[in-house]
Amino acid sequence: MTTETYAGTREAVHEQRVEGFGTVRVLPVDPRADLDVLHGWVTGERAAYWGMTGFSRQQVLETYLHLDSLDTHHAFLTLKDGVPAALFQTYEPEADRVSECYEVRPGDIGVHLLIGPPVPGAGERPGWSSTLLSAFLAYALTGLGRERAVVEPDARNAKAIERLTRQGFVPAGDIVLPEIDLPEVRLPEKRALLAFLTREAFEKGPTAPR
């Protein structure tokens, strides 16, 4: 893999040049082509709250093949100047267990995010996470015409919660996402913080791409 050619022929759902940062491209995940990146990220220590740290390559592949088969849940690999930088997922809240914890509104879209590990030797990355998240929110809210982004980070994940509130998400209280135990997906009960960001607030906010 070279940074110039990684997923170079895959069509982006969103692409923008961020002054002082670089070019950000948001691509639909290809579970097989992206397996090396996916497995390396979701099983790493920084992704502990994703609950996949002990997964084999096959388990990660099956997870994202299942996700790819759904009309309500989607995964995206975000590249910064041709290098994989973040994994984002969107979902329809009414088709997700979060719908048992709040009253879903028309125009809501759920968002999960995982910022990739630093490239060795890259040094400090000021504004890295907020710029990548801002670019993805530009796609999820403005690009898709949604009214409000919904997040439910693990209540113990202080770093993610701080990042999201800094981005403009407004906390709406603690929730408990119920356990799911189905043949195709198994998720333990999750204590989380529910938070929202409206498109209007995002487009007016200081972190929105210009």
Side-chain angles (χ1 to χ4, degrees):
M1 178 184 82
T2 65
T3 58
E4 291 81 8
T5 61
Y6 187 89
T9 60
R10 198 180 312 171
E11 185 175 356
V13 297
H14 179 78
E15 182 171 345
Q16 69 184 64
R17 175 75 182 176
V18 181
E19 185 176 355
F21 184 79
T23 299
V24 179
R25 299 181 72 229
V26 180
L27 316 175
V29 160
D30 180 326
R32 290 188 172 84
D34 298 327
L35 182 57
D36 286 346
V37 173
L38 295 174
H39 182 260
W41 286 2
V42 303
T43 61
E45 183 179 350
R46 65 192 296 115
Y49 295 112
W50 281 50
M52 300 171 69
T53 52
F55 277 31
S56 66
R57 286 174 58 85
Q58 184 61 31
Q59 287 175 305
V60 172
L61 176 61
E62 290 173 356
T63 297
Y64 281 92
L65 285 174
H66 171 66
L67 195 67
D68 194 48
S69 72
L70 302 176
D71 293 329
T72 55
H73 294 63
H74 304 281
F76 302 90
L77 189 64
T78 297
L79 309 184
K80 189 268 189 186
D81 293 334
V83 179
L87 173 65
F88 293 101
Q89 295 175 190
T90 62
Y91 62 89
E92 302 297 335
E94 65 269 22
D96 191 87
R97 59 180 176 166
V98 74
S99 64
E100 299 185 33
C101 302
Y102 88 102
E103 185 175 350
V104 179
R105 296 180 186 173
D108 281 356
I109 186 168
V111 177
H112 292 147
L113 70 147
L114 175 62
I115 304 298
V119 175
E124 294 295 321
R125 305 189 300 177
W128 184 273
S129 297
S130 61
T131 303
L132 291 172
L133 178 54
S134 183
F136 186 71
L137 288 170
Y139 164 68
L141 288 172
T142 305
L144 295 180
R146 297 305 187 99
E147 295 299 323
R148 187 170 65 160
V150 182
V151 291
E152 22 81 9
D154 191 292
R156 300 166 295 174
N157 194 347
K159 186 175 181 178
I161 291 171
E162 192 276 334
R163 177 188 298 138
L164 290 164
T165 54
R166 188 173 65 240
Q167 200 83 19
F169 280 86
V170 178
D174 294 334
I175 58 174
V176 179
L177 299 171
E179 177 185 13
I180 295 178
D181 189 1
L182 300 172
E184 64 275 13
V185 59
R186 291 180 174 83
L187 296 172
E189 180 181 272
K190 174 183 172 182
R191 297 186 178 277
L193 174 73
L194 185 68
F196 302 98
L197 176 65
T198 66
R199 185 175 73 206
E200 180 180 13
F202 167 71
E203 292 179 343
K204 289 181 178 179
T207 61
R210 304 301 180 198

